[in-house]
C-alpha cells in the first residue's frame, strides 16, 4: 500500500468514494426524471473508472474510436461515437462492427451521408447512423428545421448496411449557464430542438429510435424529458472547477486532483513554486469568465482540503506558481517539500495529460492504478 | 509506406528535413558565437528526434526524471534536470546516478540545500548540484546578488556526495520580445545576471564549472556569450507559431503539425469543423497578445502549405472550428473528408498531447513512427 507522500509528482489522484457518490447522484437524478442515462467515458477514458459510473451493460458515449475499441473489447455492447465521422475512419468502424458491437456514428450533412452511403457496401455488419442536431449554435449539427435533414435520413435509410438511428445533440452553451434557471431553460431548449427534429423526421416516415441529448449542466437541470430516449453526460464522474463555478457541484465533490510538491518560493512576490505546470494541469483556464477565476486550479492540502484563497496563477511546462488571491504570505503549509493537491479547472483536459491515475479511498494511500486509454 | 491520406486523424506529423534544418541553424549559430549548446529535449521527449538535434554524446537538458531515465538508458551521459528538485525525487535521482550518468540537479533556496545535504548520505554516487538564478523575475531562482547564494553553494560544497556544479538560468521573459533589439537586450541581461552570480560565488571561493543560460529566442539573439559555459534551448527543433510571432522563425520552418480531417461545416457561419480539438492541439493560445492571433493554430493543406488567413478559432475536446480571419466562405479546399494540417501555437504543448509522432520526409508518406517518453 503506497502512501501519497511517496509518489513521484506530479501525479493524477482520483478519490474513488467521491466518484462513486457523483455517479450515484446523476444516476438517481436521471431515474427520478424517468430517462435513461448513456454516460460519456471521454473524461477519464478508463475501464476501471467506467466500471463505477458506467458499468456493463450500460450504453456509453465515446469521443474517439480508440475508446470504442477498448470498451468493446471489455464487453460494452452499445456505443455511440459522438464526433462527426470522417471517411478516413470507415475501415476502423468496420473492424469495430465485426466485434459484434452496436455502434452508432453521427454525421451532419448531405455530403457526409453521400460519402458514407457510397462506401457502405464495404461494411460487413449493419452500422447505425444518427444525425447531429445543432441546438445552441455552438459547434456541429444540422438545424432542427433544416429540410436537408430529411434528405440525409432518407439516404441513410435507403442504404443496405446502414440503419437510420435517430438524432443526437450536445448543448455546449450550458457551460455559460451560471444559475439553475438558465440551466433549466437550456435543458428545455435542447429537448425542444431535438424533439422538433425528431418530429420532422417522423412525419417524413423516418422514426427516431434514438433521441439523445445532454451535457452535465443540463442533465442535472429540471426540465421535461418527455420524448427523449436518453440523456448523455460525462464530466460529472469527477466534476471540476468549471462545474463548481456554474453551481452544478461544490469543491468538495471534485474527485480528481493533481498531487504536486513545493520546489521553491519567490518570497518577495509571495509565490510558491510547485512541480505541476501546464504539462500536468493542462492549459485550460476555463474559469476566466467566472465570478471566481481559479487560474490553473485551486490548491488543497495533501488530504484534499481546500486551502482557502490559494490558486495556481501561472504555469510553465513543469512549473506552477501558487499565490493567494489577497496576496497573503505563504506560511508553513507551503514549506519546501510539502505535498499539495490541485483541483482541476477542466477535468477532461487535466486527465488527458496523464497516462494513468492513482486511486485513493482514504486520501492517504493508493489502492489502485488505473491506466488511461490513449490515442485516437 | 503509409500515405498521410490513410492515417487516422488527428495525428502528430513531424517534417524531418525541416527539423534537421532547424537543428543545423541553431548549432551553427552557437558555433559562430563560440559557445557550447546543451539542447532541451522536453518539446518532443523522443530519442529518435533527439538523435537529429541532440545526438550522443551531446549534453542534454530534461524537464522530468522520466526523460532522464530514458535518455540515460540510450547512452546520454551528461544530463541537466532543469526543474527544482523536490525531496520526494531523491530516490529516483539515486537510481539514475547508479546508471553512471553525470546528472546535474538544480535548487534555489537554503531550505532545499539543507534537505538535500541531510539526505545526501543515501547517494551512492556523487550528485552535481547547480543553483538556479532568477534573471527576469518570471519564475524560479535566486537573485544574482542574494547573499544566501553563497550559503547555499557552501552547504553543497561542504557535503560529501554532492558537487557544487555552478549556476543556471532561463530567461522566460524572452517570450515577450517581439524584435531583434529586445531579444538581444534580453540575451545580454541573462548573461550579465548569471555572470554576476558566478562572479559572486567565485569571489567566495566557489568556482562555477557550469554557467548555463538560454531560451530559443535568446540563443538565436546576438549578444556576447563571454564567460558562459553553455547555452540551452529546446523548441527550436520544431519551432511553432509563438516563435514565428516573435520573428525567431518563419511559418515554413515549423516542423510539427497536426493532421486532421474535415468532418462538417456550419455554412451560415462559414465554419469548417475538423476532428482536431484541444485534445490534439492543446489548450495553448499563446499568440493571443501577438500582432497576429493564431487562435489554436494556423491551417495548411495536407502537404503543409499555409492556407492564408485560415485558423482554428475555437475548440472542444475532439472538435476544432476553422474560420477565415476576414470571414471568407470555405471553398473546395475545405470539402468534407479533406485532410488538413494545423501548425501548433506552442509545439511543447501540442506534442504533449500525443504518445507518438508520424514522421515524413516528403510530406506525402510516413517514413517512421517515433514514440514519446511519457509520464514523470
Amino acid at each position: 500500500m503506497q502512501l501519497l507522500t511517496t509518489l513521484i509528482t506530479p501525479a493524477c489522484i482520483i478519490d474513488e468514494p467521491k466518484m462513486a457518490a457523483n455517479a450515484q447522484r446523476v444516476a438517481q437524478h436521471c431515474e427520478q426524471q424517468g430517462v435513461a442515462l448513456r454516460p460519456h467515458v471521454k473524461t477519464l477514458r478508463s475501464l476501471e473508472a467506467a466500471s463505477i459510473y458506467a458499468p456493463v451493460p450500460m450504453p456509453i458515449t465515446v469521443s474517439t474510436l480508440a475508446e470504442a475499441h477498448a470498451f468493446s473489447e471489455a464487453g460494452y455492447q452499445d456505443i455511440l461515437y459522438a464526433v462527426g465521422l470522417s471517411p478516413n475512419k470507415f475501415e476502423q468502424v468496420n473492424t469495430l462492427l465485426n466485434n459484434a458491437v452496436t455502434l452508432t456514428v453521427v454525421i451532419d450533412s448531405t455530403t457526409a451521408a453521400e460519402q458514407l452511403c457510397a462506401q457502405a457496401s464495404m461494411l460487413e455488419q449493419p452500422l447505425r447512423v444518427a444525425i447531429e442536431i445543432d441546438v445552441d449554435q455552438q459547434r456541429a449539427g444540422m438545424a432542427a428545421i433544416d429540410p436537408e435533414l430529411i434528405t440525409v435520413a432518407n439516404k441513410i435509410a435507403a442504404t443496405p448496411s446502414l440503419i437510420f438511428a435517430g438524432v443526437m445533440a450536445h448543448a455546449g452553451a450550458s457551460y455559460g449557464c451560471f444559475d439553475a434557471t438558465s440551466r433549466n431553460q437550456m435543458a428545455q431548449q435542447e429537448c425542444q430542438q431535438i424533439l422538433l427534429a425528431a418530429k420532422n423526421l417522423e412525419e417524413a416516415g423516418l422514426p427516431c429510435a434514438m433521441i439523445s441529448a445532454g451535457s452535465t449542466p443540463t442533465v442535472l437541470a429540471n426540465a421535461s424529458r418527455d420524448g427523449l430516449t436518453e440523456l448523455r453526460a460525462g464530466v460529472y464522474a469527477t466534476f471540476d472547477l468549471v462545474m463548481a463555478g456554474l453551481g452544478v457541484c461544490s469543491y468538495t465533490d471534485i474527485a480528481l486532483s493533481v498531487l504536486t510538491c513545493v520546489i521553491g518560493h519567490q518570497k518577495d512576490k509571495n509565490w510558491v513554486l510547485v512541480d505541476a505546470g501546464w504539462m500536468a494541469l493542462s492549459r485550460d483556464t476555463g474559469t476566466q469568465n467566472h465570478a471566481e477565476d481559479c487560474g490553473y486550479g485551486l490548491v488543497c492540502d495533501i488530504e484534499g482540503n481546500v486551502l482557502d484563497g490559494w490558486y495556481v496563477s501561472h504555469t510553465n511546462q513543469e512549473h506552477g506558481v501558487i499565490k493567494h488571491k489577497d496576496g497573503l504570505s505563504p506560511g508553513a503549509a507551503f514549506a519546501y517539500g510539502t505535498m499539495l493537491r490541485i483541483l482541476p479547472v477542466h477535468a477532461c483536459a487535466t486527465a488527458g495529460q496523464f497516462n494513468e491515475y492513482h486511486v485513493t479511498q482514504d486520501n492517504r494511500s493508493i489502492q489502485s492504478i488505473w491506466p488511461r486509454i490513449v490515442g485516437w
Side-chain angles (χ1 to χ4, degrees), chain A:
Chain A
M1 197 179 63
Q2 189 167 19
L3 294 174
L4 261 71
T5 47
T6 65
L7 290 182
I8 291 293
T9 44
C12 190
I13 310 296
I14 289 179
D15 183 324
E16 194 176 331
K18 283 188 181 177
M19 178 185 283
N22 296 338
Q24 199 182 8
R25 175 181 163 205
V26 172
Q28 279 179 350
H29 186 86
C30 288
E31 211 178 303
Q32 281 160 9
Q33 305 254 317
V35 62
L37 177 64
R38 179 191 288 275
H40 206 316
V41 298
K42 72 173 179 130
T43 300
L44 296 170
R45 299 176 59 150
S46 152
L47 296 170
E48 293 82 358
S51 74
I52 294 172
Y53 70 95
V56 176
M58 277 185 93
I60 57 168
T61 317
V62 300
S63 66
T64 61
L65 292 178
E67 287 157 76
H69 178 75
F71 277 87
S72 69
E73 294 277 313
Y76 287 84
Q77 294 274 321
D78 181 358
I79 300 177
L80 169 64
Y81 169 49
V83 177
L85 185 68
S86 56
N88 61 330
K89 300 195 181 100
F90 288 172
E91 205 172 304
Q92 221 179 346
V93 162
N94 191 37
T95 307
L96 277 163
L97 290 173
N98 286 336
N99 284 350
V101 167
T102 301
L103 178 72
T104 306
V105 297
V106 303
I107 59 171
D108 70 353
S109 69
T110 305
T111 318
E114 283 166 355
Q115 290 208 26
L116 182 53
C117 294
Q119 291 198 49
S121 61
M122 71 173 265
L123 298 172
E124 291 156 58
Q125 300 291 333
L127 174 65
R128 295 163 65 89
V129 185
I131 302 176
E132 184 162 3
I133 305 300
D134 182 12
V135 295
D136 59 359
Q137 300 275 318
Q138 294 285 301
R139 192 167 76 187
M142 305 179 79
I145 54 165
D146 187 336
E148 278 199 60
L149 202 55
I150 314 295
T151 316
V152 172
N154 266 324
K155 282 186 192 291
I156 299 164
T159 305
S161 307
L162 299 184
I163 298 167
F164 172 64
V167 284
M168 63 81 73
H170 170 70
S174 65
Y175 281 57
C177 296
F178 288 90
D179 56 63
T181 307
S182 61
R183 283 193 294 277
N184 293 344
Q185 280 169 353
M186 185 55 66
Q188 210 168 344
Q189 180 179 322
E190 70 176 350
C191 284
Q192 282 171 346
Q193 290 297 308
I194 198 167
L195 287 172
L196 176 59
K199 181 171 159 279
N200 290 343
L201 286 158
E202 276 160 14
E203 285 176 1
L206 295 152
C208 295
M210 170 185 279
I211 305 175
S212 174
S215 66
T216 288
T218 56
V219 161
L220 285 167
N222 292 306
S224 166
R225 316 295 187 176
D226 292 351
L228 294 195
T229 63
E230 63 182 33
L231 285 175
R232 300 190 324 281
V235 78
Y236 71 86
T238 61
F239 284 122
D240 55 25
L241 293 169
V242 167
M243 289 298 124
L246 295 183
V248 173
C249 69
S250 65
Y251 294 157
T252 52
D253 295 325
I254 300 175
L256 184 145
S257 59
V258 173
L259 185 71
T260 186
C261 190
V262 175
I263 58 171
H265 299 84
Q266 292 291 17
K267 287 179 186 165
D268 58 327
K269 304 188 193 80
N270 286 326
W271 285 2
V272 181
L273 282 137
V274 294
D275 64 1
W278 54 251
M279 187 58 81
L281 300 171
S282 96
R283 272 283 192 194
D284 203 303
T285 54
T287 62
Q288 250 176 344
N289 304 322
H290 285 212
E292 184 170 359
D293 179 358
C294 303
Y296 289 90
L298 294 187
V299 182
C300 301
D301 66 18
I302 191 172
E303 294 189 356
N305 306 299
V306 172
L307 300 170
D308 194 37
W310 296 94
Y311 71 108
V312 182
S313 67
H314 54 287
T315 54
N316 289 123
Q317 186 157 346
E318 300 292 349
H319 293 78
V321 174
I322 290 173
K323 292 198 300 197
H324 189 275
K325 61 180 178 179
D326 300 324
L328 299 190
S329 169
F334 296 94
Y336 171 78
T338 302
M339 308 278 259
L340 300 167
R341 277 158 76 179
I342 314 291
L343 297 181
V345 169
H346 186 175
C348 304
T350 303
Q353 303 300 113
F354 291 85
N355 278 21
E356 61 184 20
Y357 311 115
H358 287 82
V359 184
T360 182
Q361 282 165 6
D362 59 6
N363 282 302
R364 288 201 169 83
S365 57
I366 297 303
Q367 277 70 47
S368 332
I369 295 176
W370 294 345
R372 178 181 169 90
I373 299 154
V374 297
W376 279 272

